[in-house]
Amino acid sequence: SLHLGVIPVLNVPLVPELLGSFGTAHPGVSVVVEEISSTEIETALEEGRMDVGLGFVTRHSPNLRYERLCADEFALIVPESHPWAKRRTIKFADLHQQRLLQLPDSFVMRRMTDEICRKHQVRPRTVAEINAIETLLRSLAPLQAAALMPKIALRGRDGLKVKAIRLEGKNLDLEIGLLRLKGSAGNTAVAAFRELARTAIPKMVRK
């Protein structure tokens, strides 16, 4: 069996396709997938309740091995009806006092975007905090607001009528990778999943 933890922003974009490929190659392996926060994944791995995690490479825990698979970057996600929807790039400084929907600060991704805003001396106007990625994205048009998220967040969400606009600024990159406990041999299912993830995820993020 394989017990996988995945952070919310990567679940819809990556997991269905990964499960399809893994299930085809290893039909006898049962898989449990949990969508939980980065911190919860790290704790579950340390306590032996989970085999592998899929998330951002934060290197927060000295007990875990973080395996970088690829990089992505934060973009400004806007609905098609947004005044900026036709723009190709936006300077990060232009986000000052702009209407944003944000994740709560219990999310690592929110803490990352807060830090980027501080470095750019930008204070956006938080219209609402929403702890579900799908609900947040679906609320952009009704609230005429934007969101800061990795570009990969929109993969598999073609029907939402939102788009990612490239941001011009510093420290917008983030690393996506696998997490597992140091010194854990893991089982053959974990080894097989790691091999698949190394090949498949960089291609999926680049699409």
Side-chain angles (χ1 to χ4, degrees):
S1 67
L2 176 72
H3 195 156
L4 169 69
V6 57
I7 60 172
V9 74
L10 298 181
N11 199 0
V12 169
L14 299 180
V15 170
E17 193 170 322
L18 282 174
L19 288 181
S21 299
F22 188 79
T24 300
H26 307 278
V29 178
S30 63
V31 182
V32 176
V33 178
E34 279 191 68
E35 177 180 294
I36 53 177
S37 72
S38 292
T39 306
E40 289 171 317
I41 289 174
E42 289 169 342
T43 301
L45 288 168
E46 289 176 334
E47 294 178 353
R49 294 183 283 110
M50 192 167 281
D51 297 313
V52 63
L54 174 58
F56 299 136
V57 180
T58 60
R59 300 183 177 88
H60 284 161
S61 170
N63 302 317
L64 299 181
R65 186 182 303 282
Y66 296 84
E67 183 178 353
R68 180 190 181 279
L69 297 178
C70 59
D72 195 12
E73 62 181 15
F74 281 103
L76 191 71
I77 313 298
V78 299
E80 291 177 355
S81 56
H82 194 278
W84 288 353
K86 297 282 195 292
R87 290 174 64 169
R88 296 184 65 180
T89 62
I90 290 171
K91 290 180 179 173
F92 200 93
D94 291 346
L95 299 188
H96 190 66
Q97 291 299 307
Q98 289 296 322
R99 294 167 59 85
L100 285 193
L101 300 190
Q102 305 239 53
L103 295 164
D105 61 12
S106 56
F107 282 71
V108 166
M109 195 163 71
R110 168 64 184 274
R111 299 198 288 275
M112 292 166 80
T113 56
D114 281 353
E115 182 62 24
I116 294 169
C117 286
R118 274 193 292 273
K119 285 182 177 174
H120 288 84
Q121 297 183 311
V122 162
R123 280 191 173 183
R125 183 178 157 209
T126 301
V127 178
E129 290 188 355
I130 302 171
N131 74 347
I133 303 285
E134 191 81 8
T135 306
L136 190 155
L137 292 172
R138 288 182 181 276
S139 300
L140 291 174
L143 289 171
Q144 276 300 288
L148 285 168
M149 284 194 187
K151 290 187 295 185
I152 188 64
L154 298 191
R155 190 176 191 274
R157 292 188 161 109
D158 300 336
L160 293 184
K161 295 185 178 178
V162 295
K163 60 176 291 190
I165 302 176
R166 187 172 175 273
L167 287 164
E168 296 176 15
K170 301 173 185 174
N171 306 113
L172 298 174
D173 292 342
L174 66 163
E175 295 178 321
I176 293 168
L178 296 177
L179 294 69
R180 60 194 175 94
L181 192 63
K182 278 183 181 174
S184 66
N187 55 35
T188 53
V190 173
F193 182 80
R194 286 177 57 219
E195 186 177 343
L196 169 67
R198 284 192 197 118
T199 306
I201 289 177
K203 291 178 184 173
M204 292 159 74
V205 172
R206 280 198 301 268
K207 274 185 187 175

